[in-house]
Amino acid sequence: MSEPILSVRNLKKHYPVKRGLFNREVGRVRAVDGISFDIKRGETLGIVGESGCGKSTAAASIVRLEDPTSGAVIFRGGGRTEESPAGTTRPTNVVEFGGRELKRFRREAQMIFQDPASSFNPRKQVGESVAELLEVHGMTDRKQRRAIVEDLLERVGLAASDYERYPHEFSGGQKQRIAIARALVLNPELVIADEPVSALDVSIQAEILSLLSDLQEEFDLSILFISHNMSVVKHICDRVAVMYLGKIVEIGPTERLFTDPRHPYTEALVSAIPTPDPRRRRRNITLEGTVPSPADPPSGCRFHTRCHRIIQPAGVSLPQDGWRRVMHFREHVSRGAIDIDGIKENTVADGSEATPAHLEAQVREEYGLTEPLPDERADEALDRAMEALVRGKTDEARSVLEDRFTTPCEETEPGFTEHDDDHRSACLLHSEEYDTRDVESDAYRTGDGSDTGGEDIKTDTRD
């Protein structure tokens, strides 16, 4: 197997949080927190995830628009990279590049941004904006620069005469074509496309994606494709990496990942893909709660606060949906997010007596915990926590819940488990220590390789 054109190893990008009179650092936002992956020559690797998961920060760190906090970005540019004394290609770590090396690297790696309009000078002809990169990298012949740009404009579906037009004269799709031409003007080997079609109409998206595929084959490009749209990623990518809260939780071949997702977060994302077949049974996967802050990520598996397949501790045996509701309640108690005084005020305003029993009933209704839990010891612990909470003893309620309902998912950060076909995921469900038969949610995989679909990921944003 040939060496990858790009290898990212344990890449991190943290932003300091500073406060106070002396602007002291009090914490860090872990936007990207230790991701690793390879991109093979001629391959398209997709990175997907919800907004704020760190996809764009990762892209900016790879090309050094942002300086990484730590990690390595190893770029192997064939004959165009620095050679070792033995004459063989020597890997080069982009993170360690100085000014001249970084400039040389950026000839080989270019970016396509989400909003091309914001990156064009409105007072400059688009041809000049594209040709500017050639001038910066040493091409002094103006006629030669123009000839190259006019040829590229035609290759991306525009006319050579568009060279002299201004950005406001083009539609959004045409501007993105020009942005693609600009990314290709230096004949790079790697293109990083950061949400390149998310601002375009669906019909235009298809045209741009088709254009990228054609140009990839023509120019032998490797592409890092970043998107939150699973349908787009499924269409264009050879492999997919799924990110959540600064970490990659699953990576594998596109077909395998979409038909047999192994991480619960990937299951939820795939379930949101619409299917045109009305006869296919759909199953929406509900993710409760909000995405935690990257400044204070959860311990263990970062997805455990929203996971629909969270592992139960020894001695607790509940249906998975009931277990998830208990964990959602426990999380809000731990964060002090349940306003008992506010519930009392609303109760009195409605003309009712704010007795502990009445307050408890309202809390149980809010969190779907009105029925007794089938596990007697678990139900007893929940009763004690509810009683303490409505009497204003939040610390006691928190202690009871954490003592009885602590999941292994918050105690252990999962490592990657290798599946078949270069497919791996980071989830405790696949470790030998836990029996997945006891923690499976409603069957997601149908057994014949088909997905159950789903219109959207339902989320409960109560906080």
Side-chain angles (χ1 to χ4, degrees):
M1 181 182 296
S2 61
E3 292 181 338
I5 190 170
L6 188 79
S7 295
V8 175
R9 292 292 177 265
N10 200 28
L11 185 68
K12 297 182 180 181
K13 178 58 183 177
H14 297 172
Y15 297 94
V17 178
K18 298 182 178 181
R19 292 177 186 164
L21 180 63
F22 298 101
N23 202 29
R24 291 175 176 169
E25 183 176 323
V26 296
R28 291 202 159 200
V29 175
R30 298 171 175 83
V32 178
D33 202 24
I35 64 172
S36 300
F37 59 85
D38 294 331
I39 301 179
K40 304 170 187 175
R41 292 185 182 277
E43 177 186 47
T44 299
L45 174 69
I47 297 183
V48 298
E50 294 169 287
S51 297
C53 72
K55 306 184 301 294
S56 295
T57 303
S61 299
I62 288 171
V63 295
R64 291 282 301 279
L65 295 179
E66 297 267 8
D67 285 330
T69 302
S70 63
V73 178
I74 308 300
F75 180 74
R76 310 176 193 277
R80 287 180 281 185
T81 57
E82 186 177 356
E83 300 292 322
S84 70
T88 56
T89 301
R90 183 168 67 86
T92 50
N93 187 357
V94 177
V95 174
E96 299 174 353
F97 281 176
R100 182 177 298 178
E101 292 174 310
L102 187 58
K103 182 178 179 180
R104 186 165 55 242
F105 165 70
R106 285 177 177 163
R107 291 191 60 177
E108 313 293 343
Q110 286 288 305
M111 282 198 70
I112 302 171
F113 297 96
Q114 177 178 357
D115 182 12
S118 64
S119 57
F120 285 116
N121 186 336
R123 298 186 179 184
K124 211 171 192 177
Q125 295 175 349
V126 295
E128 292 179 347
S129 293
V130 176
E132 185 178 14
L133 276 72
L134 292 169
E135 184 177 6
V136 168
H137 286 271
M139 184 174 289
T140 58
D141 189 324
R142 184 182 181 90
K143 289 184 178 180
Q144 187 179 5
R145 293 199 304 266
R146 177 161 184 147
I148 292 173
V149 173
E150 287 180 345
D151 176 64
L152 274 174
L153 290 175
E154 292 179 340
R155 287 174 182 261
V156 298
L158 300 174
S161 58
D162 289 330
Y163 185 102
E164 297 179 348
R165 295 172 65 188
Y166 290 86
H168 71 271
E169 300 180 68
F170 296 93
S171 67
Q174 289 174 323
K175 288 176 185 176
Q176 196 60 289
R177 290 175 184 270
I178 299 168
I180 293 172
R182 182 173 57 185
L184 298 178
V185 73
L186 294 174
N187 193 24
E189 293 193 70
L190 173 68
V191 170
I192 299 177
D194 186 6
E195 301 272 13
V197 298
S198 63
L200 306 178
D201 292 338
V202 174
S203 59
I204 306 300
Q205 286 184 13
E207 293 179 6
I208 297 300
L209 293 175
S210 178
L211 174 63
L212 281 174
S213 295
D214 293 342
L215 292 172
Q216 180 178 27
E217 183 176 353
E218 181 179 356
F219 290 93
D220 192 26
L221 297 172
S222 301
I223 298 177
L224 178 61
F225 191 93
I226 294 170
S227 179
H228 65 273
N229 189 322
M230 294 292 284
S231 296
V232 169
V233 167
K234 184 178 182 181
H235 174 74
I236 197 172
C237 296
D238 301 303
R239 290 189 304 130
V240 179
V242 180
M243 280 191 72
Y244 183 80
L245 209 61
K247 288 185 173 291
I248 290 177
V249 297
E250 184 168 0
I251 185 168
T254 302
E255 183 178 358
R256 173 64 65 181
L257 186 139
F258 276 79
T259 58
D260 187 21
R262 305 308 297 270
H263 193 281
Y265 181 58
T266 310
E267 289 183 353
L269 292 180
V270 173
S271 78
I273 301 175
T275 174
D277 187 353
R279 296 168 298 179
R280 177 171 292 182
R281 181 171 57 92
R282 296 177 182 271
R283 188 183 303 280
N284 293 338
I285 295 178
T286 300
L287 299 184
E288 294 186 342
T290 57
V291 180
S293 169
D296 185 24
S299 60
C301 174
R302 295 187 176 185
F303 186 56
H304 82 262
T305 59
R306 303 172 71 202
C307 183
H308 56 284
R309 297 175 63 191
I310 188 169
I311 297 173
Q312 300 183 31
V316 175
S317 179
L318 299 173
Q320 186 61 216
D321 57 347
W323 169 237
R324 179 65 266 179
R325 287 194 293 270
V326 171
M327 289 301 294
H328 187 51
F329 171 67
R330 200 208 88 174
E331 179 196 354
H332 280 199
V333 172
S334 297
R335 291 197 286 120
I338 302 178
D339 184 8
I340 294 298
D341 290 336
I343 296 175
K344 287 180 180 179
E345 291 177 4
N346 291 335
T347 301
V348 173
D350 291 339
S352 301
E353 185 179 357
T355 63
H358 189 78
L359 297 177
E360 180 177 330
Q362 291 191 60
V363 173
R364 285 182 176 273
E365 180 72 26
E366 173 71 12
Y367 289 91
L369 297 170
T370 55
E371 298 295 327
L373 299 178
D375 183 313
E376 184 176 343
R377 294 176 62 189
D379 190 57
E380 180 185 351
L382 182 62
D383 285 344
R384 288 191 287 117
M386 284 284 184
E387 181 180 358
L389 179 68
V390 299
R391 294 185 182 278
K393 300 179 180 180
T394 304
D395 290 342
E396 180 181 337
R398 181 185 299 114
S399 177
V400 170
L401 291 171
E402 291 180 353
D403 181 61
R404 189 62 188 157
F405 302 111
T406 294
T407 169
C409 298
E410 65 184 300
E411 297 179 318
T412 304
E413 182 175 356
F416 276 99
T417 298
E418 297 288 341
H419 310 297
D420 55 345
D421 297 331
D422 192 28
H423 182 191
R424 64 185 189 272
S425 62
C427 181
L428 291 182
L429 289 172
H430 306 301
S431 66
E432 296 181 357
E433 185 176 353
Y434 301 102
D435 185 355
T436 59
R437 291 173 300 178
D438 294 333
V439 296
E440 289 285 352
S441 62
D442 290 338
Y444 177 80
R445 292 179 288 278
T446 61
D448 60 358
S450 62
D451 63 75
T452 55
E455 280 296 336
D456 200 359
I457 301 175
K458 296 180 180 179
T459 57
D460 183 343
T461 57
R462 294 175 297 192
D463 54 15

